Amino acid sequence: MDALGWTEIALRILGRLGPVWIALVVTFTLSILFKRRLGLYGKLFDSPIGMVGFAMVMFWVFTGIFGGGFDMITTHNVLDQSAAMKNKGPGWPYSKLTGTPDLNAYPYYLLGGDHLGRDVFSRMIVGAWEVIKIAPFASLFSFMVGITLGLPAGYYGGMLDTFLSFLANLILAFPVILLFYLLVTPEIVLTGIPVYMAAVLFIFPIVFLLLLWNSRYHTQPQRRNLYVGVTLVIGLWLYLGIAWNADPLGIVSFPPNLLVVFVAVVFVNSPTVFRIVRGLTMDIKTRDYVAAAQTRGEGPWYIMLWEILPNARGPLLVDFCLRIGYTTILLGTLGFFGLGLSPESPDWGSTINEGRKLVTMYLHPALPPAFALLSLVLGLNLLADGLREESLRD
């Protein structure tokens, strides 16, 4: 077989991404039809910049889900190597010199092979899954830590604010990349510090939800007890499995290398979120509706979680999108330096690092993951701009 031309390569890639296009069309159609009922998310579709950013982000989200989660897009296993395909260009016919040939294997490497003869296209697709698994959830955990500490610091002030702000400033005094680098080095990992950090940081989502339910439904004991009970059972089960790898049912577990990266992201991002929430709280607590809630006799946590926090959602949503982009870049940086995830991981940072070693001779191994990383971060920035624009109108 002859190598494919660029037009044929593009058409085949578009065909492989069929599930992604279908999911995007369905998402946009339903969102536009019901946008007036979807609050700030629906208003996003009134912003051209926001729509473009949302499309770029959801493209990679669906690509990661269908490609890495359900294996519907990839053409070859990301770990399979073929000596005949080392550094072969895009569209090169697939062949395997040793081992039993797979008669059902896709006949081409659509974006070529890397220095070990692995399929660049499949590794780029599964690399999106590696980002989707870590960046959004790590950012969400960071926000729960930052919100849980930032609200009382801004609301009460005094010694509590001074102490928490000192801790946040102490962490922020270190350069982010250096701190991130130190937390994932093998020497630090062997001390067990990341596990103890996970034990502390991962308790905050449970605390946040307990405070949320108790403050909202303290006058409805039955409903409050139900929500608190469900949160404790599910939360502690997940906590034991994720933080301590001690799930009594043996269902929930976290790979040690992934846990280290996750903890590092949460620890590095939480102080910044804390400062943002603290500043917003200090501003919003002077508003009339907060004074009205205090006059009604509402408790402090009710005011913080149900009066102040909803009115700070615009800036926090914008920062959340930007923080996912920062986390994506941090993950790429770690992978580039060979830290954090396993060496054979197809994450974009590792793939770029492997490809750049021969970039003067072969461009195709490094460029696809680099453009993927660029487009996802750009999409998140555009999405943040759209959210900022619509939140200011809200």
Side-chain angles (χ1 to χ4, degrees):
M1 292 188 294
D2 296 327
L4 299 175
W6 285 107
T7 302
E8 182 66 17
I9 292 173
L11 292 175
R12 285 177 179 255
I13 290 176
L14 291 175
R16 296 297 302 180
L17 294 171
V20 176
W21 306 130
I22 294 172
L24 281 174
V25 169
V26 171
T27 300
F28 268 75
T29 300
L30 293 177
S31 299
I32 292 174
L33 287 176
F34 298 101
K35 65 180 181 179
R36 298 307 174 199
R37 305 179 186 177
L38 297 175
L40 182 60
Y41 168 75
K43 294 179 181 179
L44 180 67
F45 292 86
D46 293 328
S47 168
I49 293 177
M51 289 180 65
V52 172
F54 181 72
M56 295 173 70
V57 171
M58 293 310 298
F59 170 82
W60 287 113
V61 169
F62 290 134
T63 296
I65 292 173
F66 291 121
F70 294 100
D71 197 22
M72 297 171 61
I73 300 174
T74 56
T75 55
H76 297 84
N77 188 291
V78 294
L79 299 179
D80 283 352
Q81 303 177 17
S82 172
M85 300 304 294
K86 288 184 178 180
N87 296 314
K88 293 299 183 182
W92 200 267
Y94 172 73
S95 64
K96 190 173 183 180
L97 296 179
T98 60
T100 304
D102 184 1
L103 299 179
N104 296 320
Y106 197 79
Y108 296 95
Y109 270 13
L110 293 177
L111 293 178
D114 65 7
H115 68 295
L116 295 177
R118 298 170 299 190
D119 182 28
V120 172
F121 172 75
S122 297
R123 290 180 67 80
M124 179 189 69
I125 296 298
V126 178
W129 179 239
E130 298 297 323
V131 173
I132 299 303
K133 285 193 301 184
I134 300 177
F137 296 105
S139 300
L140 181 62
F141 272 59
S142 302
F143 265 73
M144 288 191 172
V145 175
I147 288 172
T148 306
L149 296 177
L151 284 173
Y155 186 78
Y156 289 112
M159 292 298 296
L160 177 65
D161 180 28
T162 302
F163 175 71
L164 293 177
S165 296
F166 172 77
L167 292 180
N169 292 333
L170 190 64
I171 297 172
L172 292 172
F174 288 89
V176 173
I177 296 296
L178 177 60
L179 182 59
F180 208 82
Y181 185 91
L182 289 174
L183 289 173
V184 299
T185 51
E187 292 78 11
I188 297 296
V189 173
L190 290 175
T191 64
I193 291 176
V195 176
Y196 298 117
M197 292 173 62
V200 174
L201 294 173
F202 291 177
I203 202 70
F204 277 92
I206 301 176
V207 173
F208 174 81
L209 291 175
L210 292 178
L211 291 171
L212 192 72
W213 304 138
N214 187 65
S215 62
R216 179 65 177 84
Y217 300 109
H218 66 280
T219 58
Q220 305 175 45
Q222 291 184 340
R223 178 178 290 188
R224 180 196 61 190
N225 294 340
L226 174 63
Y227 289 169
V228 168
V230 171
T231 300
L232 283 174
V233 171
I234 297 178
L236 291 176
W237 170 53
L238 294 174
Y239 174 76
L240 289 173
I242 294 174
W244 295 104
N245 196 25
D247 175 17
L249 303 178
I251 299 174
V252 179
S253 63
F254 230 53
N257 58 340
L258 187 60
L259 177 66
V260 171
V261 175
F262 202 91
V263 169
V265 171
V266 175
F267 183 74
V268 168
N269 284 330
S270 296
T272 307
V273 178
F274 163 82
R275 295 189 66 176
I276 293 172
V277 174
R278 171 184 173 272
L280 290 170
T281 302
M282 293 178 69
D283 174 42
I284 296 175
K285 73 177 184 179
T286 61
R287 306 291 174 84
D288 291 340
Y289 50 82
V290 174
Q294 292 170 337
T295 304
R296 294 197 310 268
E298 302 290 358
W301 278 105
Y302 178 90
I303 295 173
M304 285 186 271
L305 292 171
W306 296 98
E307 297 288 348
I308 294 176
L309 187 59
N311 287 284
R313 70 184 185 277
L316 291 180
L317 285 173
V318 171
D319 185 75
F320 182 72
C321 292
L322 294 174
R323 201 152 299 282
I324 295 176
Y326 300 153
T327 303
T328 303
I329 294 174
L330 285 172
L331 293 174
T333 303
L334 278 183
F336 187 85
F337 288 120
L339 295 170
L341 301 177
S342 57
E344 68 274 7
S345 171
D347 67 280
W348 291 336
S350 299
T351 309
I352 294 170
N353 181 45
E354 293 169 354
R356 61 99 184 173
K357 297 174 183 177
L358 298 174
V359 74
T360 55
M361 294 183 290
Y362 307 104
L363 287 174
H364 64 275
L367 286 183
F371 280 120
L373 179 62
L374 181 151
S375 61
L376 177 57
V377 175
L378 176 61
L380 287 164
N381 289 338
L382 294 177
L383 177 58
D385 286 342
L387 286 172
R388 181 186 296 111
E389 178 183 328
E390 294 305 318
S391 64
L392 291 175
R393 297 177 182 176
D394 193 8

